[in-house]
Amino acid sequence: MMDKIKELEKLARLLDPEASQRHAWNTQVLDYSNTFLNNLETTKAYIKTEEAGKAITHLDIEENATNLTTLLASTTKHIDGVGINPASSGHMGYIPGGGLYPSALGDYIAAVSNRYAGVYYAAPGAVRLENMLIKWMCRLMGYPQDAFGNLTSGGSIANLMALVTAREGTPFKSSRF
């Protein structure tokens, strides 16, 4: 069994790019991101096309790698260039997630480091940081000193948690900070 695990580990390591490859990808993604952000002032809030992004299906998901330049060009044309652009200053249809650049960098770091903050034991520092953020938001809202909360991945789970909390009606006290 150990031999099989070691063999699979070698295969998995092939997915980790060398530093030079990471640098090249980082440069391309940063260029894409800066172009996107620099053009927001002139980008429409809604773009309707006949094709409606259908051509992205020509880049089928398969085992063979697709060049990043091709992927970013397709993203620009078939994802960014169609439909609602919630990052546009003209979009006011609903409240989209924040498009703050420092937040995106934080998300990037979180994704790269892959710290699981859902369990204290796994990442006590990350859990403490999340708790600090919640306490800060409570202070911003003028909530009492003993107020607490929870960060969720989106509105659906936040609403579900609110409904369950309202239904249960039992206050929860956190013992860790």
Side-chain angles (χ1 to χ4, degrees), residues 113-131:
S113 64
N114 198 27
R115 295 287 175 204
Y116 177 65
V119 177
Y120 179 82
Y121 175 78
V127 171
R128 290 181 194 279
L129 179 60
E130 184 173 309
N131 289 339

Side-chain angles (χ1 to χ4, degrees), residues 47-69:
I47 302 168
K48 182 177 180 178
T49 65
E50 284 291 319
E51 187 251 347
K54 186 178 180 181
I56 196 140
T57 60
H58 297 273
L59 290 174
D60 196 14
I61 298 171
E62 57 187 12
E63 293 297 316
N64 298 321
T66 302
N67 181 291
L68 182 58
T69 304

Side-chain angles (χ1 to χ4, degrees), residues 21-32 59 65-76:
Q21 182 63 67
R22 288 194 315 268
H23 178 73
W25 286 345
N26 290 344
T27 300
Q28 287 181 278
V29 169
L30 189 58
D31 288 347
Y32 158 82
L59 290 174
T66 302
N67 181 291
L68 182 58
T69 304
T70 303
L71 293 173
L72 292 174
S74 186
T75 298
T76 299

Side-chain angles (χ1 to χ4, degrees), residues 15 18-19 34 38 41-42 58 63 67 73 81 86 96 98 105 107 120-121 123 141 143 146 156 163-164:
L15 298 173
E18 298 285 329
N34 283 325
N38 291 339
E41 290 288 325
T42 57
H58 297 273
E63 293 297 316
N67 181 291
L105 294 176
D107 284 343
Y120 179 82
Y121 175 78
M141 299 304 296
Y143 290 157
D146 62 345
S156 295
L163 289 170
V164 170

